[in-house]
Amino acid sequence: MSKKKITLDEILKPVIHEDYLEQVAYVHKLIKAGTLKPMKSSRGNGKSPALALKYWLIEEDQDYSAYKAELAYLYAPPLSFTYYRNHVDVYVKEREDVQALMTFFLKHSDKLNIAVSENERSFQIFHQEKYLKSSAGKRVLAHCEISLEDLHLTKTAEPFAYYAKTRKHPQTLLIIENKDPFCGMREHLLAGRSTIMEVPIDTLIYGAGKRILANLKDFEIASEPYMRDPSNTYYYYGDLDYEGIFIYETLSKGFPYPLRPFVPAYQKMLTSDVALLPLSKKDQNKHIASRFFSYFSKKDVEAMKAILSAGRYVPQEYLTISDY
């Protein structure tokens, strides 16, 4: 026999929606059956009839001999059952999933010849598409000494929105922070034009604000092959504020190809009427480096810094299709 501490709240979970007298009857039934024993040092719950707040949960020691015998003969390389042979109690809890994993390697290992996504492989093995991502799934793999690499997975990435005027390459791609300029520039190109602000542009990519950092994190996986030609030219265009500059600098560090600010657009955003510009958000990250400014003339940098120092910003919506 073994016993462990348990609280009244834990005991009452199965009858949490019953009235109090039903809950009292439930606890008394468990006490009479010898499953529960009130702890002598426990306070009461202050209700009538009173119940102790803490109990001993009394459990019979489980006979693991059948599971030990089962584990002695389990063999399904590359799975290892060493952990379970030393922790039979854990094997009992995870047995169903271990059996599913073992069956997959014994009878369906041919499926490993083709790489699939983690969710797809999870469903093939456990008939639950999210199981491999769960803490329980990760524990079973660890206990069986199986890595995700052993399951021959292919990496998936979040798709991003883009407009391609052509898929020829090398070409010029422009990544745009916000939706309105993306739609306006797309309309501009759909009208038969091939340049934006006199720069030839072949593909527009919609960044969706800060989400661009996540959306383009796996650019090499999510993009079309023509987008990954190292001879391509890549530009970025966002709001002229600390946040927009921070997005550019963060993205450019992790982007697999050289990424430059789309200078003509930023130059058109500069205005002498700084007082008419909207105020910046107070909680913006102002810790930007010099990468962004390095692409501009000294005069342009001074004008941009004057706007930022005044606590103002220029949204991309400052420019419209007539400016493109």
Side-chain angles (χ1 to χ4, degrees):
M1 301 286 282
S2 62
K3 63 181 183 177
K4 65 178 183 179
K5 295 178 181 179
I6 188 171
T7 66
L8 179 62
D9 287 340
E10 293 174 296
I11 296 167
L12 294 179
K13 282 182 180 179
V15 291
I16 191 65
H17 298 298
E18 303 292 339
D19 62 42
Y20 182 65
L21 291 180
E22 290 289 337
Q23 293 175 347
V24 171
Y26 174 75
V27 173
H28 286 172
K29 182 178 179 180
L30 294 175
I31 292 173
K32 187 175 181 180
T35 304
L36 286 182
K37 184 177 181 181
M39 293 178 65
K40 292 181 179 179
S41 60
S42 175
R43 295 183 291 107
N45 63 350
K47 297 183 180 181
S48 181
L51 291 173
L53 290 174
K54 296 180 181 179
Y55 295 80
W56 290 110
L57 177 63
I58 302 166
E59 301 174 309
E60 292 187 16
D61 294 331
Q62 190 167 348
D63 181 5
Y64 291 134
S65 56
Y67 297 110
K68 289 180 180 178
E70 182 175 288
L71 283 165
Y73 293 98
L74 284 187
Y75 180 73
L79 276 68
S80 170
F81 301 106
T82 302
Y83 176 86
Y84 291 120
R85 289 178 182 127
N86 295 323
H87 302 85
V88 185
D89 58 325
V90 178
Y91 174 67
V92 173
K93 295 176 183 177
E94 299 178 353
R95 181 174 180 269
E96 184 177 338
D97 296 322
V98 174
Q99 295 281 345
L101 187 60
M102 183 175 69
T103 299
F104 178 80
F105 274 93
L106 288 176
K107 297 184 178 181
H108 307 291
S109 59
D110 59 306
K111 292 183 183 292
L112 294 172
N113 294 330
I114 300 175
V116 299
S117 72
E118 187 172 2
N119 285 358
E120 289 168 337
R121 188 72 80 205
S122 182
F123 190 82
Q124 286 179 344
I125 300 172
F126 303 103
H127 302 291
Q128 297 179 54
E129 74 277 12
K130 301 291 178 61
Y131 187 75
L132 282 174
K133 284 186 169 72
S134 69
S135 56
K138 291 174 182 176
R139 280 196 301 271
V140 169
L141 290 188
H143 293 162
C144 292
E145 297 182 24
I146 292 294
S147 68
L148 292 178
E149 287 73 22
D150 293 324
L151 299 180
H152 196 192
L153 305 178
T154 183
K155 192 172 182 181
T156 57
E158 286 296 323
F160 53 83
Y162 64 93
Y163 164 71
K165 186 175 180 64
T166 176
R167 285 174 171 76
K168 70 175 184 180
H169 54 95
Q171 66 161 263
T172 302
L173 299 89
L174 174 58
I175 301 169
I176 307 165
E177 181 181 337
N178 296 315
K179 183 172 64 176
D180 287 347
F182 171 80
C183 292
M185 290 183 177
R186 181 182 62 184
E187 185 178 342
H188 175 81
L189 294 178
L190 283 170
R193 300 174 181 89
S194 59
T195 65
I196 294 176
M197 300 177 193
E198 300 182 2
V199 177
I201 299 293
D202 303 295
T203 294
L204 302 173
I205 296 175
Y206 173 45
K210 276 187 175 179
R211 282 186 292 166
I212 192 173
L213 299 177
N215 291 350
L216 296 187
K217 179 183 65 175
D218 298 315
F219 183 80
E220 294 282 68
I221 300 170
S223 60
E224 287 195 42
Y226 82 87
M227 296 179 178
R228 302 192 293 273
D229 186 331
S231 300
N232 288 340
T233 300
Y234 303 86
Y235 290 113
Y236 176 83
Y237 167 47
D239 290 337
L240 181 51
D241 63 355
Y242 285 109
E243 192 168 272
I245 295 172
F246 175 79
I247 291 173
Y248 162 74
E249 293 191 337
T250 305
L251 179 63
S252 63
K253 287 178 185 176
F255 202 69
Y257 309 102
L259 181 64
R260 292 177 276 181
F262 191 51
V263 172
Y266 289 106
Q267 288 176 327
K268 275 202 171 188
M269 296 167 81
L270 298 178
T271 173
S272 58
D273 296 325
V274 176
L276 298 179
L277 294 173
L279 292 170
S280 298
K281 298 175 185 175
K282 293 182 179 180
D283 57 350
Q284 284 199 348
N285 182 356
K286 297 182 180 180
H287 299 292
I288 56 176
S290 58
R291 182 190 297 249
F292 176 80
F293 293 123
S294 67
Y295 290 93
F296 296 87
S297 68
K298 183 179 179 181
K299 181 180 178 182
D300 288 341
V301 172
E302 289 175 352
M304 288 188 281
K305 288 187 175 181
I307 291 171
L308 299 176
S309 298
R312 308 280 177 169
Y313 76 101
V314 188
Q316 286 187 288
E317 291 79 4
Y318 179 84
L319 303 182
T320 68
I321 192 169
S322 61
D323 296 300
Y324 304 150

